[in-house]
Amino acid sequence: TGVWRGDNYGANWTRIYASPSATNAETVGYLRTHPSDLKVLFISDTNGVHRITNANTATQDAATVTKISGTIANTGAMTLGANNTIFFTTKPTSSSRPTVYRGNYSDTQPNWTDIGSDYVKAYAIRVITMAASPNGTLYLSTNNNSTAVLDGAY
């Protein structure tokens, strides 16, 4: 498990990042590419949100990786929005409710703002995927076949 890059139209594959939580059966990773710099990837997994800055040239397990979520872990779905905005969720656990965080991905270490709605926190939903619209609305698809909408997410 981890992040793999295909070369020669998929003829050769190189694992550029081995997820530290690769043995965790609950690990599901989320990946987003920078909108204008394809060598930059953002990854969200159980250990947090990370930025890879050399995805196009990294050799075997040697990507330049920086954890940008600080002490926030158990992260889940992630998306990028307008104005260099990154959003990610945390997964519910037996001791914590899920929420949604917003930050600026161009910052070396973003300041994270908890923007999770009462609905997200109260019902302990697990967000499977998310999308941000240019007008500031964040759409969260959940594990109970519903969609939560957060207006004014920017």
PDB file of all heavy atoms in Angstrom, residues 30 32 76-82 85-89 100-101 115 127-142 146-154:
ATOM      1  N   TYR A  30      -6.848   8.882   0.786  1.00  0.00           N
ATOM      2  CA  TYR A  30      -7.461   9.806  -0.152  1.00  0.00           C
ATOM      3  C   TYR A  30      -6.334  10.603  -0.785  1.00  0.00           C
ATOM      4  O   TYR A  30      -5.389  10.992  -0.109  1.00  0.00           O
ATOM      5  CB  TYR A  30      -8.440  10.733   0.569  1.00  0.00           C
ATOM      6  CG  TYR A  30      -9.582   9.979   1.198  1.00  0.00           C
ATOM      7  CD1 TYR A  30      -9.450   9.409   2.460  1.00  0.00           C
ATOM      8  CD2 TYR A  30     -10.778   9.811   0.521  1.00  0.00           C
ATOM      9  CE1 TYR A  30     -10.493   8.699   3.038  1.00  0.00           C
ATOM     10  CE2 TYR A  30     -11.822   9.100   1.084  1.00  0.00           C
ATOM     11  CZ  TYR A  30     -11.669   8.546   2.344  1.00  0.00           C
ATOM     12  OH  TYR A  30     -12.704   7.834   2.908  1.00  0.00           O
ATOM     13  N   ARG A  32      -5.285  13.775  -3.649  1.00  0.00           N
ATOM     14  CA  ARG A  32      -5.664  14.896  -4.513  1.00  0.00           C
ATOM     15  C   ARG A  32      -4.399  15.483  -5.118  1.00  0.00           C
ATOM     16  O   ARG A  32      -3.371  15.579  -4.450  1.00  0.00           O
ATOM     17  CB  ARG A  32      -6.385  15.997  -3.723  1.00  0.00           C
ATOM     18  CG  ARG A  32      -7.726  15.589  -3.169  1.00  0.00           C
ATOM     19  CD  ARG A  32      -8.746  15.434  -4.293  1.00  0.00           C
ATOM     20  NE  ARG A  32     -10.052  15.119  -3.792  1.00  0.00           N
ATOM     21  CZ  ARG A  32     -10.582  13.895  -3.724  1.00  0.00           C
ATOM     22  NH1 ARG A  32      -9.858  12.858  -4.115  1.00  0.00           N
ATOM     23  NH2 ARG A  32     -11.792  13.695  -3.283  1.00  0.00           N
ATOM     24  N   GLY A  76      -9.771  11.460   7.221  1.00  0.00           N
ATOM     25  CA  GLY A  76     -10.498  10.717   6.197  1.00  0.00           C
ATOM     26  C   GLY A  76     -10.571  11.482   4.896  1.00  0.00           C
ATOM     27  O   GLY A  76      -9.558  11.979   4.406  1.00  0.00           O
ATOM     28  N   ALA A  77     -11.788  11.591   4.376  1.00  0.00           N
ATOM     29  CA  ALA A  77     -11.998  12.216   3.071  1.00  0.00           C
ATOM     30  C   ALA A  77     -11.385  13.609   3.026  1.00  0.00           C
ATOM     31  O   ALA A  77     -11.304  14.308   4.035  1.00  0.00           O
ATOM     32  CB  ALA A  77     -13.488  12.279   2.768  1.00  0.00           C
ATOM     33  N   MET A  78     -10.960  13.993   1.821  1.00  0.00           N
ATOM     34  CA  MET A  78     -10.264  15.262   1.637  1.00  0.00           C
ATOM     35  C   MET A  78     -10.597  15.796   0.255  1.00  0.00           C
ATOM     36  O   MET A  78     -10.829  15.036  -0.684  1.00  0.00           O
ATOM     37  CB  MET A  78      -8.756  15.002   1.748  1.00  0.00           C
ATOM     38  CG  MET A  78      -7.876  16.146   1.364  1.00  0.00           C
ATOM     39  SD  MET A  78      -6.126  15.679   1.331  1.00  0.00           S
ATOM     40  CE  MET A  78      -6.104  14.352   0.150  1.00  0.00           C
ATOM     41  N   THR A  79     -10.608  17.125   0.133  1.00  0.00           N
ATOM     42  CA  THR A  79     -10.775  17.745  -1.178  1.00  0.00           C
ATOM     43  C   THR A  79     -10.103  19.106  -1.172  1.00  0.00           C
ATOM     44  O   THR A  79      -9.813  19.667  -0.119  1.00  0.00           O
ATOM     45  CB  THR A  79     -12.261  17.863  -1.587  1.00  0.00           C
ATOM     46  OG1 THR A  79     -12.349  18.130  -2.982  1.00  0.00           O
ATOM     47  CG2 THR A  79     -12.999  18.926  -0.781  1.00  0.00           C
ATOM     48  N   LEU A  80      -9.857  19.619  -2.360  1.00  0.00           N
ATOM     49  CA  LEU A  80      -9.289  20.959  -2.524  1.00  0.00           C
ATOM     50  C   LEU A  80     -10.370  21.870  -3.075  1.00  0.00           C
ATOM     51  O   LEU A  80     -11.216  21.440  -3.849  1.00  0.00           O
ATOM     52  CB  LEU A  80      -8.102  20.925  -3.488  1.00  0.00           C
ATOM     53  CG  LEU A  80      -6.960  19.977  -3.140  1.00  0.00           C
ATOM     54  CD1 LEU A  80      -5.878  20.044  -4.209  1.00  0.00           C
ATOM     55  CD2 LEU A  80      -6.386  20.278  -1.774  1.00  0.00           C
ATOM     56  N   GLY A  81     -10.321  23.134  -2.660  1.00  0.00           N
ATOM     57  CA  GLY A  81     -11.297  24.099  -3.127  1.00  0.00           C
ATOM     58  C   GLY A  81     -10.625  25.340  -3.680  1.00  0.00           C
ATOM     59  O   GLY A  81      -9.403  25.387  -3.850  1.00  0.00           O
ATOM     60  N   ALA A  82     -11.406  26.360  -3.929  1.00  0.00           N
ATOM     61  CA  ALA A  82     -10.907  27.616  -4.468  1.00  0.00           C
ATOM     62  C   ALA A  82      -9.992  28.310  -3.458  1.00  0.00           C
ATOM     63  O   ALA A  82     -10.022  28.017  -2.262  1.00  0.00           O
ATOM     64  CB  ALA A  82     -12.091  28.527  -4.813  1.00  0.00           C
ATOM     65  N   THR A  85      -7.656  26.401  -0.813  1.00  0.00           N
ATOM     66  CA  THR A  85      -8.291  25.824   0.366  1.00  0.00           C
ATOM     67  C   THR A  85      -8.264  24.309   0.301  1.00  0.00           C
ATOM     68  O   THR A  85      -8.527  23.714  -0.737  1.00  0.00           O
ATOM     69  CB  THR A  85      -9.751  26.307   0.487  1.00  0.00           C
ATOM     70  OG1 THR A  85      -9.762  27.723   0.463  1.00  0.00           O
ATOM     71  CG2 THR A  85     -10.378  25.815   1.775  1.00  0.00           C
ATOM     72  N   ILE A  86      -7.936  23.689   1.432  1.00  0.00           N
ATOM     73  CA  ILE A  86      -7.991  22.245   1.571  1.00  0.00           C
ATOM     74  C   ILE A  86      -8.956  21.927   2.709  1.00  0.00           C
ATOM     75  O   ILE A  86      -8.983  22.613   3.726  1.00  0.00           O
ATOM     76  CB  ILE A  86      -6.589  21.633   1.827  1.00  0.00           C
ATOM     77  CG1 ILE A  86      -6.643  20.112   1.889  1.00  0.00           C
ATOM     78  CG2 ILE A  86      -5.936  22.231   3.056  1.00  0.00           C
ATOM     79  CD1 ILE A  86      -5.265  19.440   1.922  1.00  0.00           C
ATOM     80  N   PHE A  87      -9.791  20.936   2.487  1.00  0.00           N
ATOM     81  CA  PHE A  87     -10.735  20.467   3.493  1.00  0.00           C
ATOM     82  C   PHE A  87     -10.450  18.997   3.767  1.00  0.00           C
ATOM     83  O   PHE A  87     -10.127  18.254   2.845  1.00  0.00           O
ATOM     84  CB  PHE A  87     -12.183  20.565   2.990  1.00  0.00           C
ATOM     85  CG  PHE A  87     -12.623  21.943   2.617  1.00  0.00           C
ATOM     86  CD1 PHE A  87     -12.534  22.391   1.307  1.00  0.00           C
ATOM     87  CD2 PHE A  87     -13.149  22.799   3.576  1.00  0.00           C
ATOM     88  CE1 PHE A  87     -12.964  23.663   0.949  1.00  0.00           C
ATOM     89  CE2 PHE A  87     -13.576  24.080   3.236  1.00  0.00           C
ATOM     90  CZ  PHE A  87     -13.484  24.506   1.913  1.00  0.00           C
ATOM     91  N   PHE A  88     -10.575  18.581   5.012  1.00  0.00           N
ATOM     92  CA  PHE A  88     -10.520  17.155   5.312  1.00  0.00           C
ATOM     93  C   PHE A  88     -11.407  16.848   6.508  1.00  0.00           C
ATOM     94  O   PHE A  88     -11.762  17.733   7.279  1.00  0.00           O
ATOM     95  CB  PHE A  88      -9.091  16.645   5.533  1.00  0.00           C
ATOM     96  CG  PHE A  88      -8.422  17.144   6.785  1.00  0.00           C
ATOM     97  CD1 PHE A  88      -8.568  16.467   7.987  1.00  0.00           C
ATOM     98  CD2 PHE A  88      -7.627  18.271   6.756  1.00  0.00           C
ATOM     99  CE1 PHE A  88      -7.949  16.916   9.136  1.00  0.00           C
ATOM    100  CE2 PHE A  88      -6.992  18.730   7.891  1.00  0.00           C
ATOM    101  CZ  PHE A  88      -7.152  18.050   9.092  1.00  0.00           C
ATOM    102  N   THR A  89     -11.779  15.588   6.609  1.00  0.00           N
ATOM    103  CA  THR A  89     -12.623  15.149   7.718  1.00  0.00           C
ATOM    104  C   THR A  89     -11.807  14.279   8.662  1.00  0.00           C
ATOM    105  O   THR A  89     -10.755  13.758   8.294  1.00  0.00           O
ATOM    106  CB  THR A  89     -13.821  14.314   7.222  1.00  0.00           C
ATOM    107  OG1 THR A  89     -13.323  13.131   6.586  1.00  0.00           O
ATOM    108  CG2 THR A  89     -14.674  15.099   6.252  1.00  0.00           C
ATOM    109  N   VAL A 100     -15.012  18.425  10.332  1.00  0.00           N
ATOM    110  CA  VAL A 100     -14.433  18.872   9.072  1.00  0.00           C
ATOM    111  C   VAL A 100     -13.500  20.035   9.386  1.00  0.00           C
ATOM    112  O   VAL A 100     -13.852  20.941  10.150  1.00  0.00           O
ATOM    113  CB  VAL A 100     -15.525  19.340   8.081  1.00  0.00           C
ATOM    114  CG1 VAL A 100     -14.901  19.820   6.775  1.00  0.00           C
ATOM    115  CG2 VAL A 100     -16.539  18.237   7.831  1.00  0.00           C
ATOM    116  N   TYR A 101     -12.305  20.004   8.786  1.00  0.00           N
ATOM    117  CA  TYR A 101     -11.327  21.068   8.970  1.00  0.00           C
ATOM    118  C   TYR A 101     -11.071  21.775   7.643  1.00  0.00           C
ATOM    119  O   TYR A 101     -11.137  21.165   6.585  1.00  0.00           O
ATOM    120  CB  TYR A 101     -10.002  20.515   9.488  1.00  0.00           C
ATOM    121  CG  TYR A 101     -10.051  20.101  10.926  1.00  0.00           C
ATOM    122  CD1 TYR A 101     -10.294  18.782  11.285  1.00  0.00           C
ATOM    123  CD2 TYR A 101      -9.841  21.034  11.942  1.00  0.00           C
ATOM    124  CE1 TYR A 101     -10.337  18.400  12.617  1.00  0.00           C
ATOM    125  CE2 TYR A 101      -9.882  20.662  13.279  1.00  0.00           C
ATOM    126  CZ  TYR A 101     -10.132  19.344  13.606  1.00  0.00           C
ATOM    127  OH  TYR A 101     -10.170  18.971  14.919  1.00  0.00           O
ATOM    128  N   ILE A 115     -14.738  23.428  10.970  1.00  0.00           N
ATOM    129  CA  ILE A 115     -15.973  23.960  10.387  1.00  0.00           C
ATOM    130  C   ILE A 115     -17.082  22.906  10.372  1.00  0.00           C
ATOM    131  O   ILE A 115     -18.098  23.078   9.711  1.00  0.00           O
ATOM    132  CB  ILE A 115     -15.743  24.511   8.964  1.00  0.00           C
ATOM    133  CG1 ILE A 115     -15.298  23.398   8.010  1.00  0.00           C
ATOM    134  CG2 ILE A 115     -14.762  25.670   8.971  1.00  0.00           C
ATOM    135  CD1 ILE A 115     -15.399  23.779   6.550  1.00  0.00           C
ATOM    136  N   VAL A 127     -17.657  10.400   6.555  1.00  0.00           N
ATOM    137  CA  VAL A 127     -17.678  10.966   5.210  1.00  0.00           C
ATOM    138  C   VAL A 127     -16.833  10.079   4.304  1.00  0.00           C
ATOM    139  O   VAL A 127     -15.686   9.778   4.608  1.00  0.00           O
ATOM    140  CB  VAL A 127     -17.153  12.413   5.220  1.00  0.00           C
ATOM    141  CG1 VAL A 127     -17.077  12.971   3.808  1.00  0.00           C
ATOM    142  CG2 VAL A 127     -18.042  13.283   6.107  1.00  0.00           C
ATOM    143  N   ILE A 128     -17.427   9.654   3.202  1.00  0.00           N
ATOM    144  CA  ILE A 128     -16.760   8.771   2.252  1.00  0.00           C
ATOM    145  C   ILE A 128     -16.033   9.582   1.181  1.00  0.00           C
ATOM    146  O   ILE A 128     -14.926   9.265   0.787  1.00  0.00           O
ATOM    147  CB  ILE A 128     -17.775   7.806   1.597  1.00  0.00           C
ATOM    148  CG1 ILE A 128     -18.512   7.011   2.667  1.00  0.00           C
ATOM    149  CG2 ILE A 128     -17.094   6.892   0.598  1.00  0.00           C
ATOM    150  CD1 ILE A 128     -17.619   6.199   3.573  1.00  0.00           C
ATOM    151  N   THR A 129     -16.669  10.634   0.703  1.00  0.00           N
ATOM    152  CA  THR A 129     -16.053  11.516  -0.274  1.00  0.00           C
ATOM    153  C   THR A 129     -16.623  12.909  -0.103  1.00  0.00           C
ATOM    154  O   THR A 129     -17.673  13.082   0.514  1.00  0.00           O
ATOM    155  CB  THR A 129     -16.245  11.003  -1.717  1.00  0.00           C
ATOM    156  OG1 THR A 129     -15.424  11.766  -2.610  1.00  0.00           O
ATOM    157  CG2 THR A 129     -17.687  11.052  -2.147  1.00  0.00           C
ATOM    158  N   MET A 130     -15.913  13.891  -0.616  1.00  0.00           N
ATOM    159  CA  MET A 130     -16.376  15.263  -0.487  1.00  0.00           C
ATOM    160  C   MET A 130     -15.969  16.073  -1.703  1.00  0.00           C
ATOM    161  O   MET A 130     -15.016  15.720  -2.404  1.00  0.00           O
ATOM    162  CB  MET A 130     -15.848  15.887   0.804  1.00  0.00           C
ATOM    163  CG  MET A 130     -14.349  15.921   0.927  1.00  0.00           C
ATOM    164  SD  MET A 130     -13.695  16.270   2.601  1.00  0.00           S
ATOM    165  CE  MET A 130     -14.592  17.649   3.160  1.00  0.00           C
ATOM    166  N   ALA A 131     -16.714  17.162  -1.950  1.00  0.00           N
ATOM    167  CA  ALA A 131     -16.419  18.052  -3.068  1.00  0.00           C
ATOM    168  C   ALA A 131     -16.726  19.475  -2.646  1.00  0.00           C
ATOM    169  O   ALA A 131     -17.678  19.720  -1.903  1.00  0.00           O
ATOM    170  CB  ALA A 131     -17.250  17.675  -4.287  1.00  0.00           C
ATOM    171  N   ALA A 132     -15.913  20.413  -3.117  1.00  0.00           N
ATOM    172  CA  ALA A 132     -16.104  21.826  -2.824  1.00  0.00           C
ATOM    173  C   ALA A 132     -16.503  22.559  -4.092  1.00  0.00           C
ATOM    174  O   ALA A 132     -15.886  22.367  -5.138  1.00  0.00           O
ATOM    175  CB  ALA A 132     -14.812  22.427  -2.263  1.00  0.00           C
ATOM    176  N   SER A 133     -17.532  23.376  -4.000  1.00  0.00           N
ATOM    177  CA  SER A 133     -17.927  24.179  -5.151  1.00  0.00           C
ATOM    178  C   SER A 133     -17.234  25.533  -5.082  1.00  0.00           C
ATOM    179  O   SER A 133     -16.836  25.977  -4.003  1.00  0.00           O
ATOM    180  CB  SER A 133     -19.450  24.359  -5.175  1.00  0.00           C
ATOM    181  OG  SER A 133     -19.829  25.257  -4.142  1.00  0.00           O
ATOM    182  N   PRO A 134     -17.101  26.224  -6.203  1.00  0.00           N
ATOM    183  CA  PRO A 134     -16.440  27.533  -6.201  1.00  0.00           C
ATOM    184  C   PRO A 134     -17.176  28.585  -5.364  1.00  0.00           C
ATOM    185  O   PRO A 134     -16.590  29.556  -4.926  1.00  0.00           O
ATOM    186  CB  PRO A 134     -16.433  27.939  -7.675  1.00  0.00           C
ATOM    187  CG  PRO A 134     -16.620  26.681  -8.433  1.00  0.00           C
ATOM    188  CD  PRO A 134     -17.419  25.772  -7.545  1.00  0.00           C
ATOM    189  N   ASN A 135     -18.477  28.374  -5.115  1.00  0.00           N
ATOM    190  CA  ASN A 135     -19.245  29.376  -4.373  1.00  0.00           C
ATOM    191  C   ASN A 135     -19.176  29.191  -2.854  1.00  0.00           C
ATOM    192  O   ASN A 135     -19.848  29.898  -2.114  1.00  0.00           O
ATOM    193  CB  ASN A 135     -20.699  29.387  -4.833  1.00  0.00           C
ATOM    194  CG  ASN A 135     -21.451  28.128  -4.434  1.00  0.00           C
ATOM    195  OD1 ASN A 135     -20.888  27.221  -3.833  1.00  0.00           O
ATOM    196  ND2 ASN A 135     -22.721  28.064  -4.785  1.00  0.00           N
ATOM    197  N   GLY A 136     -18.381  28.231  -2.373  1.00  0.00           N
ATOM    198  CA  GLY A 136     -18.215  28.083  -0.933  1.00  0.00           C
ATOM    199  C   GLY A 136     -19.040  26.998  -0.294  1.00  0.00           C
ATOM    200  O   GLY A 136     -19.089  26.890   0.933  1.00  0.00           O
ATOM    201  N   THR A 137     -19.693  26.168  -1.086  1.00  0.00           N
ATOM    202  CA  THR A 137     -20.479  25.067  -0.537  1.00  0.00           C
ATOM    203  C   THR A 137     -19.649  23.796  -0.556  1.00  0.00           C
ATOM    204  O   THR A 137     -18.970  23.501  -1.533  1.00  0.00           O
ATOM    205  CB  THR A 137     -21.776  24.856  -1.357  1.00  0.00           C
ATOM    206  OG1 THR A 137     -22.516  26.074  -1.353  1.00  0.00           O
ATOM    207  CG2 THR A 137     -22.619  23.740  -0.767  1.00  0.00           C
ATOM    208  N   LEU A 138     -19.705  23.056   0.542  1.00  0.00           N
ATOM    209  CA  LEU A 138     -18.981  21.800   0.668  1.00  0.00           C
ATOM    210  C   LEU A 138     -20.005  20.676   0.744  1.00  0.00           C
ATOM    211  O   LEU A 138     -20.938  20.727   1.550  1.00  0.00           O
ATOM    212  CB  LEU A 138     -18.118  21.828   1.930  1.00  0.00           C
ATOM    213  CG  LEU A 138     -17.083  20.732   2.104  1.00  0.00           C
ATOM    214  CD1 LEU A 138     -16.048  20.762   0.989  1.00  0.00           C
ATOM    215  CD2 LEU A 138     -16.391  20.893   3.457  1.00  0.00           C
ATOM    216  N   TYR A 139     -19.855  19.666  -0.104  1.00  0.00           N
ATOM    217  CA  TYR A 139     -20.773  18.525  -0.155  1.00  0.00           C
ATOM    218  C   TYR A 139     -20.059  17.305   0.422  1.00  0.00           C
ATOM    219  O   TYR A 139     -18.954  16.972   0.001  1.00  0.00           O
ATOM    220  CB  TYR A 139     -21.202  18.244  -1.597  1.00  0.00           C
ATOM    221  CG  TYR A 139     -21.931  19.404  -2.223  1.00  0.00           C
ATOM    222  CD1 TYR A 139     -21.246  20.380  -2.943  1.00  0.00           C
ATOM    223  CD2 TYR A 139     -23.309  19.537  -2.078  1.00  0.00           C
ATOM    224  CE1 TYR A 139     -21.907  21.462  -3.505  1.00  0.00           C
ATOM    225  CE2 TYR A 139     -23.987  20.615  -2.646  1.00  0.00           C
ATOM    226  CZ  TYR A 139     -23.279  21.568  -3.350  1.00  0.00           C
ATOM    227  OH  TYR A 139     -23.941  22.631  -3.905  1.00  0.00           O
ATOM    228  N   LEU A 140     -20.697  16.646   1.375  1.00  0.00           N
ATOM    229  CA  LEU A 140     -20.125  15.480   2.047  1.00  0.00           C
ATOM    230  C   LEU A 140     -21.017  14.272   1.806  1.00  0.00           C
ATOM    231  O   LEU A 140     -22.165  14.257   2.244  1.00  0.00           O
ATOM    232  CB  LEU A 140     -20.019  15.733   3.559  1.00  0.00           C
ATOM    233  CG  LEU A 140     -19.418  17.067   3.994  1.00  0.00           C
ATOM    234  CD1 LEU A 140     -19.597  17.256   5.488  1.00  0.00           C
ATOM    235  CD2 LEU A 140     -17.962  17.119   3.615  1.00  0.00           C
ATOM    236  N   SER A 141     -20.502  13.266   1.111  1.00  0.00           N
ATOM    237  CA  SER A 141     -21.248  12.017   0.935  1.00  0.00           C
ATOM    238  C   SER A 141     -20.869  11.093   2.076  1.00  0.00           C
ATOM    239  O   SER A 141     -19.687  10.911   2.380  1.00  0.00           O
ATOM    240  CB  SER A 141     -20.912  11.363  -0.406  1.00  0.00           C
ATOM    241  OG  SER A 141     -21.330  12.198  -1.452  1.00  0.00           O
ATOM    242  N   THR A 142     -21.879  10.495   2.708  1.00  0.00           N
ATOM    243  CA  THR A 142     -21.642   9.759   3.933  1.00  0.00           C
ATOM    244  C   THR A 142     -21.848   8.260   3.777  1.00  0.00           C
ATOM    245  O   THR A 142     -22.392   7.794   2.774  1.00  0.00           O
ATOM    246  CB  THR A 142     -22.575  10.263   5.054  1.00  0.00           C
ATOM    247  OG1 THR A 142     -23.915   9.843   4.755  1.00  0.00           O
ATOM    248  CG2 THR A 142     -22.527  11.775   5.178  1.00  0.00           C
ATOM    249  N   SER A 146     -26.296   9.323   2.509  1.00  0.00           N
ATOM    250  CA  SER A 146     -26.866  10.661   2.514  1.00  0.00           C
ATOM    251  C   SER A 146     -25.770  11.648   2.139  1.00  0.00           C
ATOM    252  O   SER A 146     -24.602  11.312   2.072  1.00  0.00           O
ATOM    253  CB  SER A 146     -27.451  10.989   3.892  1.00  0.00           C
ATOM    254  OG  SER A 146     -26.422  11.044   4.862  1.00  0.00           O
ATOM    255  N   THR A 147     -26.203  12.860   1.877  1.00  0.00           N
ATOM    256  CA  THR A 147     -25.266  13.937   1.566  1.00  0.00           C
ATOM    257  C   THR A 147     -25.507  15.090   2.523  1.00  0.00           C
ATOM    258  O   THR A 147     -26.635  15.538   2.682  1.00  0.00           O
ATOM    259  CB  THR A 147     -25.439  14.425   0.119  1.00  0.00           C
ATOM    260  OG1 THR A 147     -25.201  13.336  -0.771  1.00  0.00           O
ATOM    261  CG2 THR A 147     -24.472  15.553  -0.215  1.00  0.00           C
ATOM    262  N   ALA A 148     -24.461  15.517   3.184  1.00  0.00           N
ATOM    263  CA  ALA A 148     -24.533  16.689   4.049  1.00  0.00           C
ATOM    264  C   ALA A 148     -23.989  17.879   3.265  1.00  0.00           C
ATOM    265  O   ALA A 148     -23.045  17.733   2.487  1.00  0.00           O
ATOM    266  CB  ALA A 148     -23.725  16.467   5.319  1.00  0.00           C
ATOM    267  N   VAL A 149     -24.594  19.028   3.448  1.00  0.00           N
ATOM    268  CA  VAL A 149     -24.171  20.224   2.750  1.00  0.00           C
ATOM    269  C   VAL A 149     -23.768  21.269   3.773  1.00  0.00           C
ATOM    270  O   VAL A 149     -24.529  21.582   4.689  1.00  0.00           O
ATOM    271  CB  VAL A 149     -25.312  20.768   1.857  1.00  0.00           C
ATOM    272  CG1 VAL A 149     -24.896  22.064   1.163  1.00  0.00           C
ATOM    273  CG2 VAL A 149     -25.744  19.717   0.847  1.00  0.00           C
ATOM    274  N   LEU A 150     -22.542  21.799   3.633  1.00  0.00           N
ATOM    275  CA  LEU A 150     -22.073  22.875   4.495  1.00  0.00           C
ATOM    276  C   LEU A 150     -21.968  24.137   3.650  1.00  0.00           C
ATOM    277  O   LEU A 150     -21.089  24.247   2.792  1.00  0.00           O
ATOM    278  CB  LEU A 150     -20.707  22.542   5.098  1.00  0.00           C
ATOM    279  CG  LEU A 150     -20.604  21.324   6.011  1.00  0.00           C
ATOM    280  CD1 LEU A 150     -19.175  21.121   6.460  1.00  0.00           C
ATOM    281  CD2 LEU A 150     -21.511  21.504   7.212  1.00  0.00           C
ATOM    282  N   ASP A 151     -22.891  25.075   3.845  1.00  0.00           N
ATOM    283  CA  ASP A 151     -22.833  26.340   3.116  1.00  0.00           C
ATOM    284  C   ASP A 151     -21.817  27.251   3.770  1.00  0.00           C
ATOM    285  O   ASP A 151     -21.605  27.217   4.976  1.00  0.00           O
ATOM    286  CB  ASP A 151     -24.207  27.010   3.123  1.00  0.00           C
ATOM    287  CG  ASP A 151     -25.200  26.296   2.226  1.00  0.00           C
ATOM    288  OD1 ASP A 151     -24.801  25.865   1.134  1.00  0.00           O
ATOM    289  OD2 ASP A 151     -26.370  26.168   2.628  1.00  0.00           O
ATOM    290  N   GLY A 152     -21.190  28.097   2.983  1.00  0.00           N
ATOM    291  CA  GLY A 152     -20.243  29.069   3.514  1.00  0.00           C
ATOM    292  C   GLY A 152     -18.984  28.446   4.083  1.00  0.00           C
ATOM    293  O   GLY A 152     -18.438  28.922   5.067  1.00  0.00           O
ATOM    294  N   ALA A 153     -18.502  27.367   3.473  1.00  0.00           N
ATOM    295  CA  ALA A 153     -17.337  26.639   3.992  1.00  0.00           C
ATOM    296  C   ALA A 153     -16.038  27.411   3.822  1.00  0.00           C
ATOM    297  O   ALA A 153     -15.066  27.147   4.511  1.00  0.00           O
ATOM    298  CB  ALA A 153     -17.222  25.282   3.310  1.00  0.00           C
ATOM    299  N   TYR A 154     -16.005  28.373   2.919  1.00  0.00           N
ATOM    300  CA  TYR A 154     -14.771  29.142   2.687  1.00  0.00           C
ATOM    301  C   TYR A 154     -14.671  30.285   3.672  1.00  0.00           C
ATOM    302  O   TYR A 154     -15.577  30.931   4.025  1.00  0.00           O
ATOM    303  CB  TYR A 154     -14.720  29.700   1.264  1.00  0.00           C
ATOM    304  CG  TYR A 154     -14.543  28.632   0.219  1.00  0.00           C
ATOM    305  CD1 TYR A 154     -15.604  28.163  -0.500  1.00  0.00           C
ATOM    306  CD2 TYR A 154     -13.282  28.129  -0.034  1.00  0.00           C
ATOM    307  CE1 TYR A 154     -15.442  27.185  -1.474  1.00  0.00           C
ATOM    308  CE2 TYR A 154     -13.102  27.145  -1.015  1.00  0.00           C
ATOM    309  CZ  TYR A 154     -14.194  26.685  -1.722  1.00  0.00           C
ATOM    310  OH  TYR A 154     -14.022  25.731  -2.679  1.00  0.00           O
TER     311      TYR A 154
END
